[in-house]
Amino acid sequence: MQTIERFESAVRSYCRDWPTVFTSARGCTLVDDDGRQYLDFFAGAGALNYGHNHPDLIEPLVEHLRRGGIVHGLDMATGPKIEFLERLDARVLTPRGLEYKVQFPGPTGTNAVEAALKLARKVTGRDRVIGFTNAFHGMTLGSLAVTGNSMKRRGAGVPLGNVDSMPFEGFLGDDHDTIEFLEAFLVGDASGIDLPAAVILETTQAEGGINPASDDWVRRLADVCRRHDIVMIIDDIQVGCGRTGPFFSFERAGIDPDIVCLSKSLSGSGLPMAVTLLKPHLDVWEPGEHNGTFRGNNAAFVTATAALERFWSDDELSDDVVRKGDRIDAYLGDLATEHDGLFAEARGRGMIRGIEARVPEAAAAIAAAAFERGLIVETAGPNDEVLKLLPPLVVSDAELDRGFGILSESVEAVLDRLGDDLVAAEEAEEVAR
Ligand SMILES: *Cc1c(COP(=O)(O)O)cnc(C)c1O
């Protein structure tokens, strides 16, 4: 840790939250250099839906490397790329009646978003894009412009332009229909908002505090996009690849988005990989107009293909995610009821779940107490007020129970320690209201 503190930039963050040196991992367990085990309810921020080092994904990779398979391939044609494209079509797209061209935009999520934004602007000839309050789309300038968080936005150092932020479902309170609000701006001759190239949406906002949009809201947004000829981009980087149950988070709403961004758990192994899926008529790129050195991470293609084959040949994983998600929901719901002075509400979908603390510091304190007890959980939301549960989708019921136990203990410990402060803070808040 001294080396990290001495040499690594102050921008580092997770190693501050979990101050130990990790040495190995398997499934839902991380091990540190003292041999201490940690139950991982963070899953690489959603990059490890199938757990750490799943043998069915790692074995084909080891085999690929051992026989001298291609590792770096730019966008050259390679065996692993062809196999990935064929498997994506056979296991994911065709069974869902979805037709997309696949763009390899570079290895990270924000690369997939930048490609989507650029293409929507090119196709429509318009320059503005609508993003939503509390959205998170990545750290490069285009993605950051459609991200809500003001601390992250300030980091840009330049104006983040050509975007309009609109209220996500519920942002203005339950009495306001935010789709009506949005459409009023699109049709008004004097709204001051130009017709955008695209709308970009997370169907369940992850970093923004675990906010699931209702299926009806998502469908009505898709309808607005269709009627006004606006490209609809779904950012499924964190909540795709089965996180909410189905492979794509938008399947339950029955929409057919124009562009879909995938990354995080796409490779299945934690290796960097991303795709931007485009409706064929939108594929107006010139060859090489958008490129990048690391678009052909063949090691990631190998594990991605293995993951599609292993987990998406049937509905077993999807069904299991819904079932285990309901268990997490029930647990968090009980926790919120039991400690309603501490928690405002539990929310989420599938296996992305959160519980909002009334006093933001409490969420971080509980996460820290959980770490001391061997559980890795993070916080989300504009003030880090939401404790976020994101276990690997393959977590066992016994592991879930163990995690719940540690979390309950951590809540009690924080209540003991902060109890009086929390009550005081809440009273201060009451008075302010
Ligand atoms: C993580 C994330 C991104 C950015 O991905 P990076 O790989 O960190 O660039 C974009 N959108 C969503 C919804 C994410 O969760």
Side-chain angles (χ1 to χ4, degrees), residues 108-111 113 136-138 202 206-207 235 237-238 263-264:
T108 69
T110 198
N111 294 144
V113 172
F136 179 85
H137 297 293
E202 298 159 90
E207 301 306 310
D235 178 346
I237 290 169
Q238 187 157 164
S263 181
K264 291 213 165 87

Side-chain angles (χ1 to χ4, degrees), residues 34 55 68 223 324 383 387 414:
D34 280 335
D223 189 51
K324 287 185 288 200
N383 303 302
L387 201 63
V414 166

Side-chain angles (χ1 to χ4, degrees), residues 55-66:
D56 294 348
L57 312 189
I58 296 302
E59 277 311 315
L61 173 62
V62 170
E63 171 55 26
H64 177 78
L65 297 175
R66 196 172 278 136

